[in-house]
Amino acid sequence: MSATQAALTQLLPLAGDTFDKNKVTPGVLGFLVFAALALGVWALMKSMNRHMGRVDFEEAPDPTTATPATPTAKPTS
């Protein structure tokens, strides 16, 4: 049995006496998980913004202002 499992088996019966089943809150662990998720999303958005700034994007030419085609030589027979 690991140290974590041993600690949990010792502490869980103690929480049963003070645990109110009608009032359940996320507590500190819920806040830490939410803060970690928010920090991860912020880091991903910052990284995406940096990568999108590096994209070299050239738009297609406007068809209404297309350059005239070069004349093609007629085949001689």
Side-chain angles (χ1 to χ4, degrees):
M1 186 183 313
S2 71
T4 306
Q5 288 175 339
L8 283 176
T9 46
Q10 295 295 325
L11 293 175
L12 282 179
L14 296 175
D17 299 335
T18 59
F19 184 68
D20 184 12
K21 293 181 182 179
N22 296 325
K23 182 181 176 186
V24 178
T25 61
V28 176
L29 180 62
F31 173 74
L32 291 176
V33 169
F34 181 77
L37 287 172
L39 185 65
V41 168
W42 176 78
L44 285 173
M45 292 295 287
K46 187 171 176 128
S47 174
M48 182 189 70
N49 193 19
R50 189 179 308 128
H51 281 84
M52 290 300 287
R54 293 180 186 168
V55 172
D56 185 23
F57 179 72
E58 293 182 17
E59 293 186 23
D62 191 12
T64 58
T65 60
T67 57
T70 57
T72 58
K74 293 182 181 178
T76 56
S77 358

